[in-house]
């Protein structure tokens, strides 16, 4: 059973389907779902070739994870102080001030200035505009590539990428979302130059190499995501740089630049150059052209799936430390702007709403949990707890940075939006480092 969490995707209690375990349903709807489910034949996508159980899960090391861990609110003041000392020692030398990379894109100009938008719509449009601006700034916005949107929800980020690309040739979109989503926008796209494909599957089991579109076209992949919750970020990174990139390199795929030269006419080349898109065609073939993911919900991370375990171990940290750091990360966004009563009322209202699997996650700023500042010992001020929460998030993200560096990428963390728009305002980007070969890790 999954419990109540901070963002919209996790507010409802869900149960795994007893007949089709990769699937789940809202608890109150489970019986209704079972009447419509075939207990013998699993329906797609779980019977599809690209579903491979736990392919992106990482190594399972149960010996490191105790059976039971008490909540932070049950720790003594001394135990909590020791945890914070460990955190500060491990974080020594880290740059705690990230670069501001708040951008926009003309594709969203009209939408951003539409007076009909409410505060919530405007907030998400600003984030989408900045992510799109960062994608373009990294020269990833161009023809002949496949954008894979993880945690796609309604597909709005891919929608704006498609709008920005206009009539760029051979652009494909794969939208990955594990829950059924209402009000999807990808179905509205009917342009001849772009193709949208939606996969209802958990990233943990997704093998991109087995998707016919990618195996046939051999286009470089750009991994994108807006507010990709905790563990989903680690699964997506492993899906891209281990499962997909490593397999493509083993098959020694033909360089993209060579294929472009062979199958493009002079007229096509001139047209792309005139549109300014030719400069965004990578000169060297790489299976993963880039990664642009807005991070979210570090409290939803999981030690088994975390890609930065090697980094933590090098600092003398293990599964127990990670568990408490990821819980403490919620202090950065939890209960800082509302009183306990106000937050409780908001949380109750949210739990009463139907969860449609949307990517429009809230930033966790109003949620009150067992690990929130109001439930902890009082020897730290709220501001101190907030700083500790940010430090936990930074340390977890640093493990992801080290992982990507080992895999031959040049990664970076930056603030992509003002915290007044969203407290979850960190963007992870990565480009392949062509000057060095990816290192192999166990």
């Amino acid at each position: 059973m999954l419990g109540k969490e901070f963002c919209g995707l996790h507010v409802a209690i869900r149960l795994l389907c007893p007949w089709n375990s990769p699937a789940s349903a809202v608890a109150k709807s489970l019986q209704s779902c079972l009447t419509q489910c075939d207990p013998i034949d699993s329906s797609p996508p779980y019977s599809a070739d690209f579903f491979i159980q736990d392919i992106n899960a990482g190594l399972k090391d149960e010996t490191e994870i105790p059976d039971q861990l008490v909540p932070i609110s049950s720790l003594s003041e001394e135990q909590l102080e020791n945890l914070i000392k460990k955190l500060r020692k491990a974080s020594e030398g880290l740059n705690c001030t990230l670069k501001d990379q708040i951008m926009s894109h003309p594709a969203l100009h009209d939408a951003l200035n539409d007076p009909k938008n409410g505060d919530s719509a405007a907030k998400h449009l600003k984030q989408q505009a900045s992510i799109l601006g960062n994608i373009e700034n990294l020269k990833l916005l161009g023809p002949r590539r496949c954008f894979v949107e993880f945690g796609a929800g309604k597909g709005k980020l891919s929608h704006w990428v498609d709008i920005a690309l206009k009539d760029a040739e051979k652009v494909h979109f794969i939208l990955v979302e594990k829950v059924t989503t209402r009000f999807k926008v990808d179905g509205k796209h009917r342009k001849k130059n772009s193709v949208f494909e939606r996969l209802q599957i958990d990233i943990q089991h997704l093998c991109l190499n087995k998707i016919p579109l990618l195996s046939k076209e051999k286009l470089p992949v750009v991994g994108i995501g807006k507010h990709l919750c905790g563990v989903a970020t680690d699964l997506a990174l492993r899906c891209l740089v281990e499962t997909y990139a490593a397999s493509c390199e083993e098959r020694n795929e033909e360089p993209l630049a060579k294929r472009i030269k062979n199958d493009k006419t002079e007229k096509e080349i001139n047209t792309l150059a005139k549109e300014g898109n030719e400069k965004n065609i990578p000169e060297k073939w790489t299976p993963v052209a880039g990664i642009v993911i807005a991070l979210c919900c570090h409290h939803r991370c999981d030690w088994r799936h975390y890609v930065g375990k090697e980094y933590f171990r090098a600092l003398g940290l293990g599964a127990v430390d990670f568990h408490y750091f990821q819980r403490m990360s919620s202090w950065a966004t939890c209960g800082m702007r509302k009183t306990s009563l106000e937050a409780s009322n908001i949380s109750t209202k949210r739990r009463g709403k139907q969860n449609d699997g949307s990517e429009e996650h809230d930033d966790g700023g109003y949620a009150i949990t067992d690990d929130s500042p109001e439930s902890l010992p009082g020897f730290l001020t709220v501001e101190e707890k907030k700083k500790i929460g940010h430090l936990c998030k930074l340390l977890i993200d640093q493990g992801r940075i080290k992982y990507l560096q080992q895999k031959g990428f040049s990664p970076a963390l930056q603030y992509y939006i003002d915290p007044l728009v969203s407290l979850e305002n960190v963007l992870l980007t990565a480009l392949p480092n062509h000057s060095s070969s990816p290192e192999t890790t166990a």
Side-chain angles (χ1 to χ4, degrees):
M1 180 183 294
L2 302 178
K4 295 170 286 186
E5 296 295 344
F6 294 175
C7 74
L9 185 62
H10 303 115
V11 293
I13 298 176
R14 302 185 69 84
L15 298 173
L16 291 177
C17 174
W19 293 339
N20 190 0
S21 59
S24 65
V26 177
K28 66 179 182 180
S29 305
L30 182 60
Q31 291 304 317
S32 174
C33 290
L34 292 180
T35 63
Q36 306 172 45
C37 180
D38 189 341
I40 300 175
D41 299 319
S42 292
S43 58
Y46 304 110
S47 59
D49 290 339
F50 53 77
F51 177 88
I52 300 180
Q53 186 76 35
D54 293 331
I55 189 170
N56 302 313
L59 297 176
K60 191 172 185 179
D61 191 352
E62 295 178 342
T63 59
E64 292 193 59
I65 304 175
D67 292 334
Q68 290 185 338
L69 289 169
V70 299
I72 292 179
S73 56
S74 298
L75 296 176
S76 67
E77 187 171 309
E78 182 181 0
Q79 288 173 316
L80 193 55
E81 283 179 333
N82 288 334
L83 268 176
I84 294 170
K85 285 178 183 177
K86 267 190 174 184
L87 172 67
R88 287 176 171 151
K89 183 179 179 181
S91 305
E92 288 177 358
L94 289 184
N95 182 9
C96 297
T97 305
L98 305 183
K99 178 183 177 182
D100 282 327
Q101 196 73 7
I102 301 174
M103 308 189 77
S104 190
H105 195 279
L108 286 94
H109 180 268
D110 291 343
L112 286 167
N113 291 282
D114 189 342
K116 296 179 182 178
N117 288 327
D119 290 341
S120 178
K123 177 181 76 170
H124 292 296
L125 285 168
K126 288 176 182 177
Q127 293 174 73
Q128 289 153 357
S130 185
I131 294 172
L132 188 56
N134 275 278
I135 292 173
E136 183 173 57
N137 186 56
L138 294 167
K139 298 184 178 179
L140 295 172
L141 198 62
R144 293 178 174 266
R145 63 200 64 198
C146 178
F147 293 87
V148 179
E149 183 180 355
F150 295 96
K154 297 175 185 176
K156 288 185 177 179
L157 183 55
S158 290
H159 163 79
W160 290 115
V161 171
D162 188 48
I163 296 295
L165 285 170
K166 299 180 180 178
D167 294 320
E169 64 170 5
K170 286 193 177 181
V171 178
H172 295 266
F173 294 90
I174 295 176
L175 281 64
V176 182
E177 177 58 69
K178 70 176 181 179
V179 296
T180 302
T181 306
R182 298 183 298 170
F183 311 118
K184 298 182 287 289
V185 298
D186 37 298
K188 300 177 181 178
H189 292 264
R190 295 288 185 269
K191 293 185 344 186
K192 64 180 181 180
N193 291 327
S194 58
V195 178
F196 280 75
E197 181 176 357
R198 178 173 284 267
L199 307 180
Q200 187 180 335
I201 186 172
D202 193 314
I203 305 168
Q204 182 170 331
H205 314 300
L206 174 62
C207 182
L208 289 176
N209 312 321
K210 300 292 185 180
I211 296 176
L213 185 152
L214 285 177
S215 60
K216 178 182 177 182
E217 296 290 340
K218 297 182 175 63
L219 296 173
V221 165
V222 179
I224 61 176
K226 175 180 176 286
H227 285 185
L228 196 56
C229 284
V231 65
T233 294
D234 297 300
L235 296 173
L237 293 178
R238 193 175 282 111
C239 176
L240 289 166
V241 306
E242 286 189 52
T243 306
Y244 183 64
S247 176
C248 289
E249 287 166 2
E250 286 174 6
R251 295 199 307 262
N252 194 22
E253 301 284 15
E254 182 183 11
L256 175 66
K258 182 179 178 182
R259 287 191 285 109
I260 290 174
K261 198 171 185 179
N262 289 340
D263 65 11
K264 278 172 58 181
T265 65
E266 184 177 350
K267 182 179 178 180
E268 287 176 311
I269 294 172
N270 292 336
T271 300
L272 282 172
K274 184 177 179 181
E275 293 174 352
N277 288 323
E278 184 73 17
K279 65 177 186 242
N280 285 339
I281 296 176
E283 296 179 0
K284 182 175 180 178
W285 158 251
T286 178
V288 179
I291 299 170
V292 182
I293 293 174
L295 305 174
C296 177
C297 298
H298 291 71
H299 65 283
R300 291 287 303 177
C301 290
D302 182 273
W303 176 252
R304 178 192 173 183
H305 305 306
Y306 180 51
V307 297
K309 284 190 281 191
E310 185 177 323
Y311 172 70
F312 260 60
R313 291 187 184 116
L315 294 171
L317 303 173
V320 175
D321 302 305
F322 179 83
H323 169 81
Y324 285 118
F325 291 165
Q326 53 124 162
R327 298 308 303 171
M328 289 158 61
S329 72
S330 65
W331 297 357
T333 58
C334 178
M336 297 300 174
R337 296 177 298 176
K338 295 286 180 181
T339 65
S340 299
L341 179 60
E342 289 173 316
S344 177
N345 290 337
I346 292 172
S347 296
T348 302
K349 289 179 182 178
R350 282 182 183 160
R351 288 196 294 271
K353 292 182 179 181
Q354 177 68 29
N355 177 28
D356 64 1
S358 168
E359 86 280 32
E360 306 300 343
H361 298 180
D362 292 306
D363 57 21
Y366 299 150
I368 298 298
T369 70
D370 178 66
D371 300 334
S372 66
E374 287 81 356
S375 62
L376 292 169
F379 71 94
L380 291 172
T381 66
V382 168
E383 192 59 34
E384 286 172 331
K385 291 168 184 173
K386 185 177 178 181
K387 289 179 180 178
I388 289 168
H390 280 296
L391 203 56
C392 290
K393 292 165 83 73
L394 181 64
L395 191 66
I396 291 171
D397 289 338
Q398 189 64 25
R400 292 163 170 166
I401 292 290
K402 295 296 184 183
Y403 168 81
L404 287 167
Q405 287 174 342
Q406 290 177 342
K407 296 297 180 181
F409 285 78
S410 297
L413 296 168
Q414 51 263 311
Y415 295 122
Y416 80 100
I417 203 71
D418 191 289
L420 293 176
V421 176
S422 175
L423 292 177
E424 296 283 12
N425 65 336
V426 175
L427 189 71
L428 171 64
T429 63
L431 294 174
N433 184 2
H434 296 308
S435 62
S436 62
S437 301
E439 299 177 18
T440 57
T441 57

